[in-house]
Amino acid sequence: MEILFKVIRQQQNSSPIVQTYLLEVESGNTILDCLNRIKWEQDGTLAYRKNCRNTICGSCAMRINGRSALACKENVGSEIARLQKTPSPAREVNALPEITIAPLGNMPVIKDLVVDMSSFWNNLEAVTPYVSTAARQVPEREFLQTPQERSRLDQTGNCIMCGACYSECNAREVNTDFVGPHALAKAYRMVADSRDQETEKRLEDYNEGTKGVWGCTRCLYCDSVCPMDVAPLEQITKIKQEILTHKQASDGRSIRHRKVLIELVKEGGWIDERKFGLHVVGNYFRDLRGLLSLAPLGLRMITKGKFPLSFESSEGTQQVRSLIESVEEVIRSGD
């Protein structure tokens, strides 16, 4: 079949342009196969990253038709099928299929599909992603774990650092202090590791302001694009639970975060993010310093069109409220 590949190309400090390439391909050809052919047969100046071509190294992550993915994993047939399921009034009936390729988001472009991943690696380093055994006596051979202890690390251990989740993260787009889902998924691996001796300090660090777990907006994009099913949002939620377990009720914001979350879900099904920040960080307008700390983030959200101007309750709110109240009643009764 003939496919039009629209590649978003860009040099540093310049505006992006769209360059179109026509290829005769098979449905089983991967996107990386197609990019290789474009580079080898049509345009040797096209820049992109690749390495193993076996879906394990993460080098070839890029945006394919608007979502971050590995070019060596996605193929032409599945992309065309996905596009055909998406209604588009502008699409002509007999037009050639189009696949749009763009660089990862939330990182500056170096050239074409190659991005500067410095912030990605720096934020990973910020969570200290190394097992600390400084407080333990070093054994003669190795630090041992039971199979059960090791199994807690399986999911997060699958991360290949491709940057797909970081690219799609809405929180990172408006809050440059937020370390990102990749870093927090790795952070949970450290919290869950039975050999690590810095759990208390880690939880304090991950609990700090909006650069840690409380900066996550729970948009679920990180989970939806992860090619290895690491589920970063799930790992962030586990860290939150660990923080709540270790913290005392007097610590305030972390406990308030949980209570406000439940209140807003009961109220509208969906979470009204406007109230969420004001109630948790601003302590129901009683914490002036907390309110002022939200101002820069709020302005960035407004300028980037990420600030919700209205709120509508979700369908089934009454059923959700009834379920939560039933659970609360069971907890109160001690049953």
Side-chain angles (χ1 to χ4, degrees):
M1 70 180 83
E2 287 189 327
I3 302 289
L4 287 174
F5 284 87
K6 292 189 172 182
V7 182
I8 311 298
R9 305 192 62 180
Q10 186 176 356
Q11 300 281 354
Q12 281 184 309
N13 304 316
S14 64
S15 300
I17 61 171
V18 180
Q19 193 157 351
T20 302
Y21 304 93
L22 178 64
L23 276 185
E24 181 78 27
V25 300
E26 301 291 336
S27 61
N29 291 150
T30 66
I31 301 301
L32 184 57
D33 290 334
C34 298
L35 287 174
N36 285 337
R37 284 189 53 198
I38 290 172
K39 186 174 181 67
W40 297 337
E41 300 172 8
Q42 299 187 33
D43 189 348
T45 67
L46 180 63
Y48 52 94
R49 286 191 174 113
K50 63 174 183 176
N51 193 15
C52 72
R53 301 179 68 184
N54 289 302
T55 327
I56 58 174
C57 76
S59 298
C60 62
M62 57 190 69
R63 274 183 168 158
I64 303 169
N65 287 329
R67 82 192 193 288
S68 299
L70 297 179
C72 68
K73 182 179 182 182
E74 307 303 321
N75 62 52
V76 172
S78 62
E79 283 303 311
I80 297 304
R82 193 174 71 87
L83 287 176
Q84 289 174 344
K85 294 178 181 178
T86 307
S88 175
R91 189 184 302 142
E92 297 179 12
V93 176
N94 296 319
L96 289 176
E98 297 178 356
I99 294 178
T100 301
I101 313 294
L104 293 174
N106 287 330
M107 290 170 276
V109 175
I110 297 175
K111 182 184 179 185
D112 298 339
L113 304 176
V114 179
V115 296
D116 183 351
M117 299 185 71
S118 297
S119 65
F120 176 88
W121 297 116
N122 290 341
N123 284 325
L124 177 64
E125 182 71 22
V127 303
T128 318
Y130 317 106
V131 174
S132 173
T133 56
R136 294 175 58 179
Q137 181 178 357
V138 178
E140 292 183 3
R141 296 185 62 184
E142 64 264 329
F143 289 103
L144 298 178
Q145 287 182 301
T146 66
Q148 291 75 20
E149 289 172 337
R150 180 59 182 84
S151 67
R152 297 183 66 195
L153 314 179
D154 289 346
Q155 188 174 21
T156 52
N158 289 333
C159 179
I160 57 176
M161 294 295 155
C162 64
C165 64
Y166 191 80
S167 168
E168 297 296 329
C169 180
N170 274 335
R172 176 66 196 174
E173 185 175 348
V174 299
N175 178 15
T176 55
D177 291 333
F178 182 56
V179 295
H182 72 300
L184 292 172
K186 183 66 73 174
Y188 179 70
R189 188 194 186 285
M190 299 300 105
V191 171
D193 199 316
S194 61
R195 300 165 297 177
D196 190 77
Q197 300 295 295
E198 297 287 336
T199 300
E200 293 294 336
K201 183 179 182 303
R202 291 184 187 280
L203 293 177
E204 287 293 334
D205 292 341
Y206 307 154
N207 187 42
E208 185 178 343
T210 57
K211 71 179 184 180
V213 293
W214 308 113
C216 172
T217 59
R218 305 167 303 281
C219 66
L220 278 172
Y221 286 155
C222 57
D223 282 11
S224 68
V225 299
C226 178
M228 303 302 291
D229 297 322
V230 173
L233 179 58
E234 181 179 329
Q235 314 314 320
I236 292 172
T237 302
K238 291 176 183 176
I239 296 177
K240 290 179 178 179
Q241 189 58 51
E242 290 286 344
I243 290 171
L244 294 175
T245 300
H246 283 73
K247 303 291 281 183
Q248 299 297 320
S250 59
D251 284 342
R253 184 178 293 186
S254 57
I255 301 298
R256 194 159 62 244
H257 184 283
R258 179 175 59 177
K259 290 181 178 179
V260 170
L261 184 67
I262 295 172
E263 289 173 3
L264 292 179
V265 170
K266 287 171 64 176
E267 181 180 322
W270 303 116
I271 298 171
D272 189 340
E273 295 287 352
R274 302 169 302 171
K275 292 183 179 180
F276 190 80
L278 293 174
H279 292 176
V280 175
V281 182
N283 195 12
Y284 297 88
F285 297 94
R286 291 192 289 268
D287 185 347
L288 181 58
R289 180 177 296 179
L291 289 172
L292 291 175
S293 71
L294 289 173
L297 176 60
L299 289 174
R300 289 197 297 272
M301 292 179 69
I302 291 172
T303 57
K304 291 180 177 291
K306 298 289 184 178
F307 189 86
L309 299 178
S310 61
F311 177 82
E312 293 184 9
S313 298
S314 67
E315 295 182 4
T317 298
Q318 182 59 50
Q319 292 92 325
V320 171
R321 185 183 301 122
S322 298
L323 286 171
I324 293 175
E325 290 174 348
S326 297
V327 171
E328 290 174 335
E329 180 59 33
V330 169
I331 293 173
R332 282 193 296 269
S333 66
D335 187 358

Coordinates of all heavy atoms in Angstrom, one line a residue, residues 89-165:
P89 N -13.9 14.5 9.8 CA -14.7 15.0 8.7 C -13.8 15.5 7.6 O -14.2 15.6 6.4 CB -15.5 16.2 9.3 CG -14.7 16.5 10.6 CD -14.1 15.2 11.1
A90 N -12.5 15.8 7.9 CA -11.6 16.4 6.9 C -11.0 15.3 6.0 O -10.4 15.6 5.0 CB -10.5 17.2 7.6
R91 N -11.2 14.0 6.4 CA -10.5 12.9 5.7 C -11.3 12.6 4.4 O -12.5 12.3 4.5 CB -10.4 11.7 6.6 CG -9.5 10.6 6.0 CD -9.5 9.4 6.9 NE -9.0 9.8 8.2 CZ -9.5 9.3 9.3 NH1 -10.5 8.5 9.3 NH2 -8.9 9.6 10.5
E92 N -10.7 12.6 3.3 CA -11.4 12.2 2.0 C -11.5 10.7 1.9 O -10.6 10.0 2.4 CB -10.6 12.8 0.8 CG -10.5 14.3 0.8 CD -9.7 14.8 -0.4 OE1 -9.5 14.0 -1.3 OE2 -9.4 16.0 -0.4
V93 N -12.5 10.2 1.3 CA -12.8 8.8 1.2 C -11.7 8.0 0.5 O -11.2 7.0 1.0 CB -14.1 8.6 0.5 CG1 -14.4 7.0 0.3 CG2 -15.3 9.2 1.2
N94 N -11.2 8.5 -0.6 CA -10.2 7.8 -1.4 C -8.8 8.4 -1.2 O -7.9 8.1 -2.0 CB -10.5 7.9 -2.9 CG -11.9 7.2 -3.2 OD1 -12.1 6.1 -2.6 ND2 -12.7 7.8 -4.0
A95 N -8.6 9.2 -0.2 CA -7.3 9.8 0.1 C -6.3 8.7 0.6 O -6.7 7.7 1.2 CB -7.4 10.9 1.1
L96 N -5.0 8.9 0.3 CA -4.0 8.0 0.8 C -3.9 8.1 2.3 O -4.0 9.2 2.9 CB -2.6 8.4 0.2 CG -2.4 8.1 -1.3 CD1 -1.0 8.6 -1.7 CD2 -2.5 6.6 -1.6
P97 N -3.7 7.0 3.0 CA -3.5 7.0 4.4 C -2.3 7.9 4.8 O -1.3 7.9 4.1 CB -3.3 5.6 4.8 CG -3.9 4.8 3.6 CD -3.6 5.6 2.4
E98 N -2.4 8.6 5.9 CA -1.3 9.4 6.4 C -0.9 9.0 7.8 O -1.8 8.7 8.7 CB -1.8 10.9 6.4 CG -2.1 11.5 5.1 CD -2.5 12.9 5.1 OE1 -2.7 13.4 6.3 OE2 -2.8 13.5 4.1
I99 N 0.4 9.0 8.1 CA 0.9 8.8 9.4 C 1.8 9.9 9.7 O 2.7 10.3 9.0 CB 1.7 7.4 9.5 CG1 0.8 6.3 9.2 CG2 2.4 7.3 10.8 CD1 1.4 4.9 9.2
T100 N 1.5 10.6 10.9 CA 2.3 11.8 11.3 C 3.3 11.4 12.4 O 2.9 10.8 13.4 CB 1.3 12.9 11.8 OG1 0.4 13.2 10.8 CG2 2.1 14.1 12.2
I101 N 4.5 11.8 12.2 CA 5.6 11.5 13.1 C 6.1 12.8 13.7 O 6.4 13.7 12.9 CB 6.7 10.7 12.4 CG1 6.2 9.6 11.6 CG2 7.7 10.2 13.5 CD1 5.5 8.5 12.4
A102 N 6.2 12.9 15.0 CA 6.7 14.1 15.6 C 7.6 13.8 16.8 O 7.6 12.6 17.3 CB 5.5 14.9 16.1
P103 N 8.5 14.7 17.2 CA 9.3 14.4 18.4 C 8.6 14.3 19.7 O 7.4 14.8 19.8 CB 10.3 15.6 18.4 CG 9.5 16.7 17.7 CD 8.7 16.0 16.7
L104 N 9.2 13.7 20.7 CA 8.6 13.6 22.0 C 8.3 15.0 22.6 O 9.0 16.0 22.2 CB 9.5 12.9 23.0 CG 9.8 11.4 22.7 CD1 10.8 10.9 23.6 CD2 8.5 10.6 22.8
G105 N 7.3 15.1 23.4 CA 6.9 16.4 24.1 C 7.7 16.6 25.4 O 8.4 15.7 25.9
N106 N 7.5 17.8 25.9 CA 8.1 18.2 27.2 C 9.6 18.2 27.2 O 10.3 18.3 28.3 CB 7.6 17.3 28.3 CG 6.2 17.6 28.7 OD1 5.7 18.7 28.6 ND2 5.5 16.6 29.2
M107 N 10.2 18.1 26.0 CA 11.7 18.2 25.9 C 12.1 19.0 24.7 O 11.4 18.9 23.6 CB 12.3 16.8 25.8 CG 12.2 16.0 27.1 SD 12.7 14.3 27.0 CE 11.1 13.6 26.4
P108 N 13.1 19.9 24.7 CA 13.4 20.7 23.6 C 14.0 19.8 22.4 O 14.7 18.8 22.7 CB 14.5 21.6 24.1 CG 15.1 21.0 25.3 CD 13.9 20.2 25.9
V109 N 13.7 20.3 21.2 CA 14.2 19.5 20.0 C 15.6 19.9 19.7 O 16.0 21.1 19.6 CB 13.2 19.8 18.8 CG1 13.8 19.2 17.6 CG2 11.8 19.3 19.1
I110 N 16.4 18.9 19.4 CA 17.8 19.2 18.9 C 17.8 19.2 17.4 O 18.2 20.2 16.8 CB 18.7 18.0 19.4 CG1 18.8 18.0 20.9 CG2 20.1 18.2 18.8 CD1 19.7 16.9 21.5
K111 N 17.2 18.2 16.8 CA 17.0 18.2 15.4 C 15.9 17.1 15.0 O 16.0 16.0 15.5 CB 18.3 17.9 14.6 CG 18.1 17.9 13.1 CD 19.4 17.5 12.3 CE 19.1 17.6 10.8 NZ 20.3 17.1 10.1
D112 N 15.0 17.5 14.2 CA 13.9 16.7 13.7 C 13.3 15.9 14.9 O 12.6 16.4 15.7 CB 14.5 15.7 12.7 CG 15.0 16.5 11.4 OD1 14.6 17.6 11.2 OD2 15.8 15.9 10.7
L113 N 13.5 14.5 14.9 CA 12.9 13.7 15.9 C 13.8 13.4 17.1 O 13.4 12.6 18.0 CB 12.4 12.4 15.3 CG 11.5 12.5 14.1 CD1 11.2 11.1 13.5 CD2 10.2 13.2 14.4
V114 N 14.9 14.1 17.2 CA 15.9 13.9 18.3 C 15.7 15.0 19.3 O 15.7 16.2 18.9 CB 17.3 14.0 17.8 CG1 18.3 13.8 18.9 CG2 17.5 12.9 16.7
V115 N 15.4 14.7 20.6 CA 15.1 15.7 21.6 C 16.2 15.6 22.7 O 16.9 14.6 22.8 CB 13.8 15.5 22.3 CG1 12.6 15.6 21.3 CG2 13.7 14.1 22.9
D116 N 16.4 16.8 23.3 CA 17.3 16.9 24.4 C 16.7 16.3 25.7 O 15.8 16.9 26.3 CB 17.7 18.3 24.7 CG 18.8 18.5 25.8 OD1 19.1 17.5 26.5 OD2 19.3 19.7 25.9
M117 N 17.2 15.2 26.2 CA 16.6 14.5 27.3 C 17.3 14.8 28.6 O 17.1 14.0 29.6 CB 16.6 12.9 27.1 CG 15.8 12.5 25.8 SD 15.7 10.7 25.6 CE 14.6 10.3 27.0
S118 N 18.0 15.9 28.7 CA 18.7 16.3 29.9 C 17.7 16.4 31.1 O 18.1 15.8 32.2 CB 19.4 17.6 29.7 OG 20.4 17.5 28.7
S119 N 16.6 17.0 31.0 CA 15.7 17.2 32.1 C 15.1 15.8 32.5 O 14.9 15.6 33.7 CB 14.5 18.1 31.7 OG 13.7 17.6 30.7
F120 N 14.9 14.9 31.6 CA 14.4 13.6 31.8 C 15.4 12.8 32.8 O 15.0 12.3 33.8 CB 14.3 12.8 30.5 CG 13.9 11.4 30.6 CD1 12.5 11.0 30.7 CD2 14.8 10.4 30.7 CE1 12.2 9.7 30.8 CE2 14.5 9.0 30.8 CZ 13.1 8.7 30.8
W121 N 16.7 12.9 32.4 CA 17.7 12.2 33.2 C 18.0 12.9 34.5 O 18.2 12.3 35.6 CB 19.0 12.0 32.4 CG 18.8 11.2 31.2 CD1 19.0 11.6 29.9 CD2 18.5 9.8 31.1 NE1 18.7 10.6 29.0 CE2 18.4 9.4 29.8 CE3 18.2 8.8 32.1 CZ2 18.1 8.2 29.3 CZ3 17.9 7.6 31.7 CH2 17.8 7.2 30.3
N122 N 18.0 14.2 34.5 CA 18.2 15.0 35.8 C 17.1 14.7 36.8 O 17.4 14.6 38.0 CB 18.3 16.5 35.5 CG 19.5 16.8 34.7 OD1 20.5 16.1 34.7 ND2 19.5 18.0 34.0
N123 N 15.9 14.6 36.3 CA 14.8 14.4 37.2 C 14.8 12.9 37.7 O 14.4 12.6 38.9 CB 13.4 14.6 36.6 CG 13.1 16.1 36.5 OD1 13.5 16.9 37.4 ND2 12.5 16.6 35.4
L124 N 15.3 12.0 36.9 CA 15.5 10.6 37.4 C 16.5 10.6 38.5 O 16.4 10.0 39.6 CB 15.9 9.7 36.3 CG 16.2 8.3 36.6 CD1 15.0 7.6 37.1 CD2 16.8 7.5 35.4
E125 N 17.6 11.4 38.3 CA 18.7 11.4 39.3 C 18.2 12.0 40.6 O 18.6 11.7 41.7 CB 19.8 12.2 38.7 CG 21.0 12.4 39.7 CD 21.8 11.1 39.8 OE1 21.7 10.2 38.9 OE2 22.5 10.9 40.8
A126 N 17.2 13.0 40.5 CA 16.7 13.7 41.7 C 16.0 12.8 42.7 O 15.9 13.1 43.9 CB 15.7 14.8 41.2
V127 N 15.5 11.6 42.3 CA 14.8 10.7 43.2 C 15.8 9.7 43.8 O 15.4 8.7 44.5 CB 13.7 9.9 42.5 CG1 12.6 10.9 42.0 CG2 14.1 9.0 41.5
T128 N 17.1 9.8 43.5 CA 18.2 8.9 44.0 C 17.8 7.5 43.7 O 17.5 6.7 44.6 CB 18.4 9.1 45.5 OG1 18.4 10.5 45.8 CG2 19.7 8.5 45.9
P129 N 17.8 7.1 42.4 CA 17.3 5.7 42.0 C 18.3 4.6 42.2 O 18.5 3.8 41.4 CB 17.0 5.9 40.5 CG 18.0 6.9 40.1 CD 18.3 7.8 41.2
Y130 N 18.9 4.6 43.4 CA 19.9 3.6 43.7 C 19.6 3.0 45.1 O 19.3 3.7 46.0 CB 21.3 4.1 43.7 CG 21.6 5.1 42.6 CD1 21.7 6.5 42.8 CD2 21.8 4.6 41.3 CE1 22.0 7.3 41.7 CE2 22.0 5.5 40.2 CZ 22.1 6.8 40.5 OH 22.4 7.7 39.4
V131 N 19.8 1.7 45.2 CA 19.5 1.0 46.5 C 20.6 1.5 47.5 O 21.8 1.4 47.2 CB 19.6 -0.5 46.4 CG1 19.5 -1.2 47.7 CG2 18.4 -1.0 45.5
S132 N 20.2 2.0 48.7 CA 21.1 2.4 49.7 C 21.2 1.3 50.8 O 20.3 1.0 51.4 CB 20.7 3.7 50.3 OG 21.5 4.0 51.4
T133 N 22.4 0.8 51.0 CA 22.7 -0.2 52.0 C 23.8 0.3 53.0 O 24.4 -0.5 53.6 CB 23.1 -1.5 51.4 OG1 24.3 -1.3 50.5 CG2 22.0 -2.1 50.5
A134 N 23.9 1.6 53.0 CA 25.0 2.2 53.8 C 24.9 1.8 55.3 O 25.9 1.7 56.0 CB 25.0 3.7 53.7
A135 N 23.7 1.7 55.8 CA 23.5 1.4 57.2 C 23.5 0.0 57.6 O 23.4 -0.4 58.7 CB 22.1 2.0 57.7
R136 N 23.8 -0.9 56.6 CA 23.8 -2.3 56.8 C 25.2 -2.9 56.7 O 26.1 -2.4 56.0 CB 22.9 -3.1 55.8 CG 21.4 -2.7 56.0 CD 20.6 -3.4 54.9 NE 20.7 -4.8 54.9 CZ 20.1 -5.6 54.0 NH1 19.3 -5.0 53.1 NH2 20.2 -6.9 54.0
Q137 N 25.5 -3.9 57.4 CA 26.7 -4.6 57.3 C 26.8 -5.3 56.0 O 25.9 -6.0 55.6 CB 26.9 -5.6 58.5 CG 28.2 -6.3 58.5 CD 28.4 -7.3 59.6 OE1 27.5 -7.4 60.4 NE2 29.5 -8.0 59.6
V138 N 27.9 -5.1 55.3 CA 28.1 -5.7 54.0 C 28.3 -7.2 54.1 O 29.3 -7.6 54.8 CB 29.2 -5.0 53.2 CG1 29.4 -5.7 51.8 CG2 29.0 -3.5 53.0
P139 N 27.5 -8.0 53.5 CA 27.7 -9.5 53.6 C 28.9 -9.9 52.8 O 29.5 -9.2 52.0 CB 26.4 -10.0 53.1 CG 26.0 -9.0 52.1 CD 26.4 -7.7 52.7
E140 N 29.3 -11.2 53.0 CA 30.5 -11.7 52.3 C 30.2 -11.9 50.8 O 31.0 -11.8 50.0 CB 30.9 -13.1 52.9 CG 31.5 -12.9 54.3 CD 31.9 -14.3 54.9 OE1 31.8 -15.3 54.1 OE2 32.4 -14.3 56.0
R141 N 28.9 -12.2 50.5 CA 28.6 -12.5 49.1 C 27.6 -11.5 48.5 O 28.0 -10.7 47.7 CB 28.0 -13.9 48.9 CG 29.0 -15.0 49.3 CD 28.5 -16.4 49.0 NE 28.2 -16.5 47.6 CZ 27.7 -17.6 47.1 NH1 27.3 -18.6 47.9 NH2 27.5 -17.8 45.8
E142 N 26.4 -11.5 48.9 CA 25.4 -10.5 48.3 C 24.3 -10.3 49.3 O 24.1 -11.0 50.3 CB 24.8 -11.0 47.0 CG 24.0 -12.3 47.1 CD 24.9 -13.5 46.8 OE1 25.8 -13.5 46.0 OE2 24.5 -14.6 47.4
F143 N 23.5 -9.2 49.0 CA 22.3 -8.9 49.8 C 21.2 -9.8 49.3 O 20.8 -9.8 48.1 CB 21.9 -7.5 49.7 CG 22.8 -6.5 50.4 CD1 23.7 -5.8 49.7 CD2 22.7 -6.4 51.8 CE1 24.6 -4.9 50.4 CE2 23.6 -5.5 52.5 CZ 24.5 -4.8 51.8
L144 N 20.6 -10.7 50.1 CA 19.7 -11.7 49.6 C 18.2 -11.1 49.8 O 17.9 -10.3 50.6 CB 19.8 -13.0 50.5 CG 21.1 -13.7 50.4 CD1 21.1 -14.9 51.3 CD2 21.4 -14.1 48.9
Q145 N 17.4 -11.6 48.9 CA 15.9 -11.3 48.9 C 15.2 -12.6 48.7 O 15.6 -13.5 48.0 CB 15.5 -10.3 47.8 CG 16.0 -8.9 48.0 CD 15.5 -8.0 46.9 OE1 15.8 -8.3 45.7 NE2 14.7 -7.0 47.2
T146 N 14.0 -12.7 49.3 CA 13.1 -13.8 49.1 C 12.5 -13.6 47.7 O 12.4 -12.5 47.2 CB 12.0 -13.9 50.2 OG1 11.2 -12.8 50.1 CG2 12.7 -14.0 51.6
P147 N 11.9 -14.7 47.1 CA 11.2 -14.5 45.8 C 10.0 -13.6 46.0 O 9.7 -12.8 45.0 CB 10.7 -16.0 45.5 CG 11.7 -16.8 46.2 CD 12.1 -16.1 47.5
Q148 N 9.4 -13.6 47.1 CA 8.3 -12.6 47.3 C 8.7 -11.2 47.4 O 8.1 -10.3 46.8 CB 7.5 -13.0 48.7 CG 6.8 -14.3 48.7 CD 7.7 -15.5 48.8 OE1 8.9 -15.4 49.2 NE2 7.2 -16.7 48.4
E149 N 9.9 -10.9 48.0 CA 10.4 -9.6 48.1 C 10.8 -9.1 46.7 O 10.6 -8.0 46.3 CB 11.6 -9.5 49.0 CG 11.2 -9.6 50.5 CD 12.4 -9.8 51.4 OE1 13.5 -10.2 50.9 OE2 12.3 -9.5 52.6
R150 N 11.4 -10.0 45.9 CA 11.9 -9.6 44.6 C 10.7 -9.4 43.6 O 10.7 -8.6 42.7 CB 12.8 -10.8 44.0 CG 13.3 -10.5 42.6 CD 14.1 -9.2 42.5 NE 14.5 -8.9 41.2 CZ 13.8 -8.3 40.3 NH1 12.6 -7.9 40.6 NH2 14.3 -8.0 39.1
S151 N 9.6 -10.1 43.8 CA 8.4 -10.0 43.0 C 7.8 -8.6 43.0 O 7.2 -8.2 42.1 CB 7.4 -11.1 43.3 OG 6.8 -10.8 44.6
R152 N 8.0 -7.9 44.1 CA 7.5 -6.5 44.3 C 8.2 -5.6 43.3 O 7.7 -4.5 43.1 CB 7.7 -6.0 45.7 CG 6.9 -6.8 46.8 CD 7.1 -6.2 48.1 NE 6.5 -4.9 48.2 CZ 6.7 -4.0 49.2 NH1 7.6 -4.3 50.2 NH2 6.1 -2.9 49.2
L153 N 9.3 -6.0 42.8 CA 10.1 -5.1 41.9 C 9.9 -5.4 40.4 O 10.4 -4.7 39.6 CB 11.6 -5.2 42.2 CG 11.9 -5.1 43.7 CD1 13.4 -5.2 43.9 CD2 11.4 -3.8 44.3
D154 N 9.1 -6.4 40.1 CA 9.0 -6.9 38.7 C 8.4 -5.8 37.8 O 9.0 -5.6 36.7 CB 8.1 -8.2 38.7 CG 8.9 -9.4 39.2 OD1 10.1 -9.3 39.5 OD2 8.2 -10.4 39.5
Q155 N 7.3 -5.2 38.2 CA 6.6 -4.3 37.3 C 7.5 -3.1 37.0 O 7.7 -2.7 35.8 CB 5.3 -3.9 37.9 CG 4.4 -3.1 36.9 CD 3.0 -2.8 37.4 OE1 2.8 -2.9 38.6 NE2 2.1 -2.5 36.6
T156 N 8.0 -2.4 38.0 CA 8.8 -1.2 37.8 C 10.1 -1.6 37.2 O 10.7 -0.7 36.5 CB 9.0 -0.5 39.2 OG1 9.5 -1.4 40.1 CG2 7.7 0.1 39.7
G157 N 10.6 -2.8 37.4 CA 11.9 -3.2 36.8 C 11.8 -3.3 35.3 O 12.8 -3.4 34.6
N158 N 10.6 -3.3 34.7 CA 10.4 -3.5 33.3 C 10.7 -2.1 32.6 O 10.7 -2.1 31.3 CB 9.0 -4.0 33.0 CG 8.9 -5.4 33.3 OD1 9.9 -6.2 33.3 ND2 7.7 -5.8 33.6
C159 N 10.8 -1.0 33.3 CA 10.9 0.3 32.6 C 12.2 0.3 31.8 O 13.3 0.0 32.3 CB 11.0 1.4 33.7 SG 11.2 3.1 33.0
I160 N 12.1 0.8 30.5 CA 13.2 0.9 29.6 C 13.6 2.4 29.4 O 14.4 2.7 28.5 CB 12.9 0.2 28.3 CG1 11.7 0.8 27.6 CG2 12.8 -1.3 28.5 CD1 11.4 0.2 26.3
M161 N 13.1 3.3 30.2 CA 13.5 4.7 30.1 C 13.3 5.3 28.7 O 14.2 6.0 28.2 CB 14.9 4.9 30.6 CG 15.1 4.6 32.1 SD 14.2 5.8 33.1 CE 13.9 4.8 34.6
C162 N 12.2 5.0 28.1 CA 12.0 5.4 26.7 C 11.6 6.9 26.6 O 11.7 7.6 25.6 CB 11.0 4.6 26.0 SG 9.3 4.6 26.7
G163 N 10.9 7.4 27.7 CA 10.5 8.8 27.8 C 9.1 9.0 27.3 O 8.6 10.1 27.3
A164 N 8.4 8.0 26.9 CA 7.0 8.1 26.4 C 6.1 8.7 27.5 O 5.3 9.7 27.2 CB 6.4 6.8 26.0
C165 N 6.1 8.2 28.7 CA 5.3 8.8 29.8 C 5.6 10.2 30.1 O 4.8 11.1 30.3 CB 5.4 7.9 31.0 SG 7.0 7.9 31.8

